[in-house]
Amino acid sequence: MSNPLKLLKTNASNPKLWILIGVGVAGVVILAETRRRGRNGKVLQGEDFGAFIQRFELRPFPQPSPPAARQSLAGLTFAVKDVFDVKDYVTGFGNPDWKRTHDVAEKTDEMVTLLLKNGAACVGKTVMDELGFGITGENKQYGTPINPKLSSFVPGGSSSGSAVAVAGELVDFALGTDTVGCIRIPASFCGIFAFRPSHGVIPMNRVLSNSPSLDTVGWFARDPSTLHRVGHVLLKLNSVEPRRMRRLVIADDLFQLSKVPLQKTVHVVEKAIENLSGYQSPKHMNFGEYLASNVPSLKGFHNQSPTLQKGITILKALSSVMILLQRSEFKINHEEWIKSVKPKLGSNASEDVLAAIKTSYDDIKTLYKVRMETRIALKSLLKDDGILVIPTVADPPPKFSTKKGIASEFRDRTFALSSISSMSGCCEVAVPLGKQDDCPISISLITFHGADKFLLDTVLDIFSALQEQVGVASNNLLPFADTNGDMDASELLKEKGNAAFKGRQWNKAVNYYTDAIKLNGTNATYYCNRAAAYLELGCFQQAEDDCSKAILLDKKTVKAYLRRGTARESLLLYKEAIKDFKHALVLEPQNKVANLAEKRLQKLIS
């Protein structure tokens, strides 16, 4: 017997020895985790970033003998979200209690099998938000995957592990599912591509469903070529399709929700297609107002706020219908299991599941009517050549393990964007466009239901030009330089701006105020007045920025706080808006506008 074993046998009843052993084991675990994360919370390359629930290997089917061509996915590896059936493994839905109460799958999902037949190898199942609820990617049971691009920020969900496995270069592509943004959000946060296909075009017979009317199978990739190849296999597309013109439609109002400079998003897209054949000059529109006019069933789901633009309230209404539909269908499918098993859930998932089980909306046909009207509206707008351009998400990812959970404003702004494809069933692709303040930037391209190949081909066609313009934009973004000029001339321009404003010529007013600022960039009134014109135009982000500059120059400008509060409310930043209205009341206690606005927002948040 070895000396350590003799010592253990001799002192087996000594409690001090077991304490030492316990401390030693804990030290090993801590050391392993420290090595995994590296210094300052950064994950060391080569580790798995906590992406996998279960590792295994499903080898591809035998390749055809030469001279036959190799299969299109030969040599590639992939992972699958923990909702796909794999024979002899339990499909766990991201929750140990679900896994414990269900049997192993008798067959492998046909999409997984299709990928194996085309030469790819599956290497495991990935972590997800429990039961498919959540947009942060956090999982208290299995651990939250670490965002390879921003290790102290959430990876996004619910298909978090699949996104992380691709972003961390653990696999070439990965499967997930998208309900309310579950593929698009993590793709944006992790800086990779993701494709949400048209609803219903990929069968989900052996895929666990959160909400059948919203669920789709989707996939992640690091490059457009792999995204394209995987899409051709899963969608069983023809390799050749007649070339047609492309017409990009840029949703200006939705880019107002994003804090990323337009030079890094809209301008990049516009410049990229300038020299490409087959693209019309992009058209700009207010998408929310279009939706308000073309989806009449939404009128019963929103309350018009006096300070919110009509389009924004309609998008909030659309997202509220989406969440109501998700909860209603989840309750129908899973209420019995939830009540009988009483599963242990993390706090975020528990809140969502409880809200779903408590849902008592009887008129579900109305929700389906909104869904159908939204699809028709998108088809009418885009016809057979149009592609809608929007931000994938409005905000950078929240920090990991935020004790208070994610803010209601973050959810509202995120769902306002993701609801468009979820509720219309249209196909959408998330495309990475570099970084802003070290956070990945992403835009989404959406086209009509059934045009999946058209959209995949577009990404493949346009991405190199987009990359080139991303580099140009990054090099050319310089801080705005204020210059002092002729004071009398700047005052004259301000007065012309005021006259144009009174005449409801908002764009003309903006131009006059801008010229005044160029001559004298230290006058708070010029910024504050331009912000008022921007508010009338629905340019909320520009209005917020101008008010912030005005406040830096003069902290007692009440109008700047009021206008910034209005802009922030329109951007669904309720808590920040409340602070502005409160500050206005401190400076001017009898201000009725600030008083009413603060009370309204406090009631909304509560």
Side-chain angles (χ1 to χ4, degrees), residues 387-592:
I387 297 170
L388 183 68
V389 185
I390 69 169
T392 307
V393 294
D395 299 280
K399 284 202 168 184
F400 176 70
S401 294
T402 303
K403 291 182 180 179
K404 295 181 180 179
I406 60 173
S408 58
E409 297 99 318
F410 177 87
R411 289 174 66 94
D412 285 350
R413 289 153 58 83
T414 302
F415 287 146
L417 294 171
S418 65
S419 64
I420 298 168
S421 289
S422 290
M423 285 301 294
S424 68
C426 293
C427 50
E428 177 178 340
V429 60
V431 181
L433 285 189
K435 291 186 175 183
Q436 169 71 14
D437 297 330
D438 292 327
C439 291
I441 300 171
S442 177
I443 61 164
S444 275
L445 308 179
I446 301 172
T447 195
F448 55 94
H449 185 275
D452 301 74
K453 177 171 171 38
F454 176 59
L455 191 57
L456 281 168
D457 289 348
T458 300
V459 177
L460 198 60
D461 186 59
I462 198 177
F463 186 64
S464 60
L466 288 172
Q467 276 189 310
E468 182 179 337
Q469 292 304 319
V470 165
V472 172
S474 297
N475 293 329
N476 288 346
L477 269 182
L478 299 175
F480 183 84
D482 291 326
T483 57
N484 291 321
D486 186 333
M487 296 297 291
D488 292 334
S490 63
E491 278 295 301
L492 179 61
L493 288 167
K494 182 200 79 173
E495 292 304 321
K496 287 185 176 181
N498 291 348
F501 187 93
K502 289 177 182 178
R504 303 177 68 83
Q505 296 175 299
W506 318 122
N507 279 306
K508 198 171 183 179
V510 166
N511 291 335
Y512 280 128
Y513 294 136
T514 300
D515 288 340
I517 289 167
K518 287 178 181 177
L519 291 176
N520 179 15
T522 60
N523 191 310
T525 301
Y526 300 167
Y527 288 106
C528 194
N529 286 9
R530 188 169 69 173
Y534 275 138
L535 284 175
E536 295 294 340
L537 290 167
C539 299
F540 309 121
Q541 189 62 63
Q542 287 93 327
E544 182 193 22
D545 291 342
D546 271 359
C547 290
S548 295
K549 288 174 184 174
I551 290 166
L552 281 174
L553 293 167
D554 183 358
K555 290 183 168 49
K556 294 184 179 180
T557 307
V558 175
K559 287 182 179 178
Y561 286 106
L562 289 173
R563 289 168 185 169
R564 189 170 70 173
T566 301
R568 285 175 167 175
E569 183 181 355
S570 297
L571 292 167
L572 309 184
L573 298 169
Y574 305 131
K575 290 181 181 177
E576 293 180 28
I578 287 173
K579 289 180 182 178
D580 280 335
F581 291 130
K582 281 185 175 179
H583 209 110
L585 285 170
V586 170
L587 295 171
E588 202 173 281
Q590 303 305 316
N591 193 295
K592 293 182 179 180

Side-chain angles (χ1 to χ4, degrees), residues 106-303:
E106 296 180 357
K107 292 183 178 180
T108 298
D109 172 69
E110 59 185 287
M111 291 300 105
V112 177
T113 302
L114 189 59
L115 295 170
L116 298 172
K117 285 181 177 179
N118 279 268
C122 182
V123 297
K125 287 195 174 188
T126 55
V127 177
M128 58 178 282
D129 284 90
E130 296 176 75
L131 309 184
F133 279 108
I135 56 176
T136 62
E138 295 173 280
N139 188 309
K140 302 297 183 184
Q141 314 297 336
Y142 295 111
T144 301
I146 298 169
N147 188 333
K149 301 293 176 68
L150 290 165
S151 59
S152 58
F153 293 78
V154 299
S158 65
S159 304
S160 53
S162 290
V164 166
V166 172
E169 301 185 19
L170 307 176
V171 293
D172 297 297
F173 67 94
L175 295 186
T177 54
D178 191 302
T179 307
V180 295
C182 316
I183 274 186
R184 294 160 283 165
I185 295 165
S188 183
F189 287 176
C190 293
I192 57 176
F193 292 86
F195 197 88
R196 175 193 161 99
S198 299
H199 185 265
V201 300
I202 295 180
M204 296 185 65
N205 300 328
R206 291 192 169 272
V207 182
L208 288 175
S209 177
N210 177 286
S211 172
S213 294
L214 304 172
D215 289 335
T216 61
V217 170
W219 60 97
F220 301 94
R222 288 187 299 279
D223 62 87
S225 176
T226 303
L227 189 84
H228 194 267
R229 288 155 65 190
V230 173
H232 267 253
V233 169
L234 293 177
L235 298 166
K236 302 177 183 178
L237 300 173
N238 295 323
S239 57
V240 179
E241 186 178 87
R243 173 86 176 182
R244 50 179 151 159
M245 289 291 289
R246 292 177 170 89
R247 175 174 53 91
L248 298 187
V249 180
I250 297 172
D252 288 336
D253 56 323
L254 301 188
F255 279 99
Q256 291 298 318
L257 293 175
S258 171
K259 293 208 173 212
V260 177
L262 296 181
Q263 298 99 309
K264 286 196 169 186
T265 53
V266 173
H267 184 72
V268 163
V269 174
E270 290 177 326
K271 296 297 289 184
I273 66 170
E274 273 186 4
N275 299 317
L276 292 177
S277 62
Y279 290 82
Q280 298 179 23
S281 297
K283 305 295 182 184
H284 293 259
M285 72 173 300
N286 186 308
F287 180 77
E289 290 187 358
Y290 173 82
L291 212 61
S293 301
N294 289 275
V295 186
S297 295
L298 273 177
K299 290 179 181 177
F301 291 93
H302 77 99
N303 296 314

Side-chain angles (χ1 to χ4, degrees), residues 332-353:
I332 292 169
N333 292 329
H334 302 302
E335 180 179 21
E336 184 179 343
W337 180 83
I338 294 292
K339 288 186 174 180
S340 62
V341 174
K342 296 180 176 57
K344 181 181 178 183
L345 299 166
S347 57
N348 291 339
S350 181
E351 289 177 11
D352 285 326
V353 169

